[in-house]
Amino acid sequence: MLKKLLLVVILLLSNNLFAQTATQPSGTGTSGDPYLIATLNNLYWVTQTTSAWSGKYFKQTADIDASSSSTWDLNKGLSSIGNNYNNFSGTYDGDGHIISGIFINRPDSNYIGLFGKAIGATIKNLGVTNVTITGKYYVGALVGEARQNDTISYCFSTGSVTASNNIAYVRAGGLLGSFGVSGSTYCSMTNCYSTASVSGYQFIGGLVGQILNPTTTISNSHSTGLVTATTNSGGLIGNIYNNATATNCFWDTVASGKSTSAAGTGKSTTEMKTQSTFTGAGWDFSTVWNINGSVNGGYPYLRVISSLPVELTSFTAVVNGSNVNLKWQTATEVQNYGFEVQRSAAEGEPRQGREVGGQRSEVSNWEKIGFVQGAGNSNSPKYYSF
């Protein structure tokens, strides 16, 4: 019995140490042939390959579940792409996909986020959802610090962001920790949002912790997450230096717990869930934004970021006499009309087919036997059976 228990422990330790595998993605990293990020192993390869951070092009081709990163590197989680010594200066196109469950627990490290420190980078069309990210300072769900000549567009974040440092100039935000550095640089953010909760000592914002350059622009963006800080914090932006601006940007004064912000316009929860609040500011709800009471908690969300139409959490099939009882559960649904139930023909039963040249060609042994109505749009668990 003791030997069996020891074997289990060894296996568990082995899985913890070697669960992640760096798999080089296809592509060469050029604009015409970008690295194609399709799996968590591809993403891990990017975090470990500093030579790919400079001037390379990336395109994500599928949604990625990164929740297993919580056990990586002795439970420190994912390493950021880009740091103070090797900045990320490439182009990452999420292509409308998400990365869910990113876990980073590095309270003694700076420049923490999916991207740690970016200079001359372009990051677009990407959602990072259900993140749990902790760093010392310069901390954000998407980018710890976008320092100079960076462009962020059509991105969003959900989850929680924490800056552990308890002294001044922490800089943490739901999407970006710090945006732009003093001097003749330019950075821009457009059509982005965050629902992530953010906590830290100073310069803490629901969307961005601090903006340092007057030529940095943020437009058509919003935040709704709870902001907890000791000083210099804001519902949208914690601190602005050198008269930088945020144009047509909003934050939820109720959900954030903040009635003030260094920039932006505060609105009540009801106003933040009303489309006219944003169309009145020129937001595009035909191709860029959408608002639906059952999606993103009723707040505006990006049309260009895809999500699973149905997130299935369980499915069982139980034989009951001559019948099979199906049961399944969903966590979320987006415009789900319903489920078509099919069964395969038993041995010897006729198969579905079609006539080709006067002869029948059997093309499928599956037949539709029923339909179960879906919930349409839902952010709460739904239960089905057939």
Side-chain angles (χ1 to χ4, degrees):
M1 183 64 179
L2 179 59
K3 291 181 178 179
K4 291 182 179 179
L5 289 175
L6 287 174
L7 177 61
V8 171
V9 172
I10 291 171
L11 287 173
L12 289 174
L13 287 173
S14 298
N15 287 335
N16 188 49
L17 290 173
F18 301 108
Q20 66 271 31
T21 301
T23 303
Q24 182 170 339
S26 60
T28 58
T30 65
S31 59
D33 185 31
Y35 288 124
L36 299 180
I37 310 303
T39 67
L40 182 58
N41 288 342
N42 292 156
L43 183 65
Y44 180 65
W45 178 88
V46 179
T47 68
Q48 301 301 300
T49 310
T50 58
S51 60
W53 296 352
S54 179
K56 299 296 184 180
Y57 290 78
F58 304 84
K59 185 175 183 179
Q60 191 168 320
T61 60
D63 293 344
I64 295 174
D65 180 358
S67 57
S68 63
S69 61
S70 61
T71 63
W72 293 2
D73 196 9
L74 299 177
N75 300 321
K76 293 179 182 179
L78 199 73
S79 296
S80 298
I81 303 169
N83 54 46
N84 198 32
Y85 306 100
N86 295 284
N87 314 134
F88 178 74
S89 62
T91 296
Y92 193 100
D93 182 359
D95 199 32
H97 293 290
I98 64 172
I99 303 172
S100 62
I102 295 172
F103 180 87
I104 303 176
N105 183 28
R106 301 176 185 272
D108 298 320
S109 299
N110 308 322
Y111 307 104
I112 297 298
L114 173 61
F115 298 91
K117 186 174 182 179
I119 294 180
T122 296
I123 303 169
K124 58 185 179 180
N125 305 324
L126 178 65
V128 288
T129 65
N130 196 29
V131 305
T132 304
I133 294 178
T134 300
K136 189 175 182 180
Y137 59 83
Y138 294 110
V139 189
L142 185 68
V143 186
E145 183 189 40
R147 189 170 178 83
Q148 60 189 34
N149 302 321
D150 298 300
T151 301
I152 315 293
S153 59
Y154 308 104
C155 293
F156 76 93
S157 64
T158 73
S160 66
V161 175
T162 302
S164 64
N165 206 17
N166 60 359
I167 60 175
Y169 312 119
V170 170
R171 304 183 182 96
L175 196 69
L176 272 70
S178 180
F179 204 32
V181 66
S182 299
S184 57
T185 64
Y186 173 77
C187 289
S188 71
M189 176 194 295
T190 184
N191 294 313
C192 293
Y193 73 88
S194 174
T195 69
S197 62
V198 193
S199 61
Y201 180 78
Q202 186 180 36
F203 299 159
I204 311 299
L207 187 70
V208 179
Q210 186 180 43
I211 304 176
L212 290 168
N213 191 278
T215 60
T216 294
T217 61
I218 297 179
S219 62
N220 293 31
S221 300
H222 76 82
S223 65
T224 64
L226 177 65
V227 177
T228 305
T230 303
T231 183
N232 286 98
S233 62
L236 185 79
I237 298 170
N239 176 266
I240 284 182
Y241 183 73
N242 273 343
N243 300 315
T245 59
T247 305
N248 299 327
C249 295
F250 303 89
W251 85 93
D252 188 323
T253 58
V254 180
S256 69
K258 295 295 178 180
S259 59
T260 61
S261 174
T265 302
K267 295 289 184 180
S268 68
T269 300
T270 300
E271 291 173 315
M272 288 290 291
K273 296 182 179 182
T274 303
Q275 183 170 317
S276 60
T277 298
F278 307 93
T279 54
W283 287 33
D284 179 358
F285 275 81
S286 61
T287 60
V288 177
W289 293 95
N290 198 6
I291 195 166
N292 182 303
S294 299
V295 178
N296 194 35
Y299 296 102
Y301 63 95
L302 291 166
R303 291 177 180 269
V304 293
I305 306 293
S306 66
S307 60
L308 289 175
V310 178
E311 182 181 2
L312 193 68
T313 56
S314 68
F315 183 88
T316 61
V318 178
V319 177
N320 182 13
S322 60
N323 297 321
V324 177
N325 296 333
L326 306 179
K327 293 184 179 181
W328 63 98
Q329 177 184 344
T330 65
T332 60
E333 298 181 28
V334 179
Q335 297 180 348
N336 178 28
Y337 179 63
F339 304 86
E340 181 175 293
V341 182
Q342 299 182 3
R343 76 173 180 92
S344 63
E347 186 73 25
E349 288 185 348
R351 298 183 177 186
Q352 295 178 346
R354 57 190 176 91
E355 294 293 330
V356 179
Q359 296 194 6
R360 184 173 180 79
S361 172
E362 294 182 344
V363 296
S364 174
N365 67 333
W366 290 92
E367 62 177 344
K368 177 182 175 181
I369 60 173
F371 180 84
V372 178
Q373 189 73 40
N377 294 301
S378 173
N379 278 331
S380 60
K382 299 297 178 184
Y383 302 88
Y384 299 92
S385 63
F386 181 83

